[in-house]
Amino acid sequence: MSPSPAPEGATGLEGGGKVPRHVAIIMDGNGRWAKQRGLPRVAGHKAGAEAVRRAMQSAVDHGVEVLTLYAFSSENWRRSAEEIADLTGLMRFYLERELATLNKEGVRLKLIGDYSAFGADLVSRLERAVEHTAKNQRLTLVVALNYGSRAEIAAAAQKLAAKAAAGEIDASAIDETAVAAELQTAGLPDLDLLIRTSGEVRLSNFLLWQAAYSELLFLDTLWPDFDEQAFVDALNHYSARERRFGGR
Ligand code: FPP
């Protein structure tokens, strides 16, 4: 890990490029990475967890404000009980091991998704980590756990409908800002760059609302191979694109 952040103005990017404030990653390809090496899937997830540490450090070093990671989708429950246990075991292990690093590097942990499904022990460890990092200001690391974007949007609609039914708001006042304010990402800067690794070109129910204007970057790299150079390449790719937001 690099010990100090890039000084202001020196991003380490080509041409002093614009750094995205909010980067999200669909971390895909752990299983294929392991298979290519004749290893069990869990070995791919372990290597994937190391890639998470590297990505977090790169985000800190390059001045990204928010890094959102798709760690467990609501569809991931379809995997074998053994693989689910491996994934949750890894989360438990890394939470314990990395808590000090999060605080040292100024990383605030935030969770999105219905993580209550993970059982009392993991839930309390997750919440403890959120509490213990709440005051950190350098990077917000958003971990999506048992997350699904459609469910998130439906929940926002439900809350707004309940407020309207209770007479707290007028139905005609439900606009894009009102919906965004009920999403779990409320208060975070808009998503600038969404990366998916491993050659799949799908959003898989991740941040559908939030990705409306973000740059999308699909890479062939398998997640465990995503290193600091890959992160910098992604930032350079972002800064090189002209962003028009649908206009001219
Ligand atoms: C996709 O690989 C990855 C996941 C299922 C989730 C990401 C999990 C990690 C990076 C490991 C642990 C996470 C933390 C936060 C410590 P895949 O199994 O779908 O790969 P495949 O498509 O090649 O089978």
Side-chain angles (χ1 to χ4, degrees), residues 145-159:
L145 291 170
N146 192 25
Y147 173 87
S149 190
R150 286 182 172 184
E152 179 193 32
I153 294 168
Q158 229 177 69
K159 282 186 219 149

Side-chain angles (χ1 to χ4, degrees), residues 10 14 43 65 78 82:
E14 285 163 13
E65 289 171 47
R78 294 193 204 121
E82 188 192 351

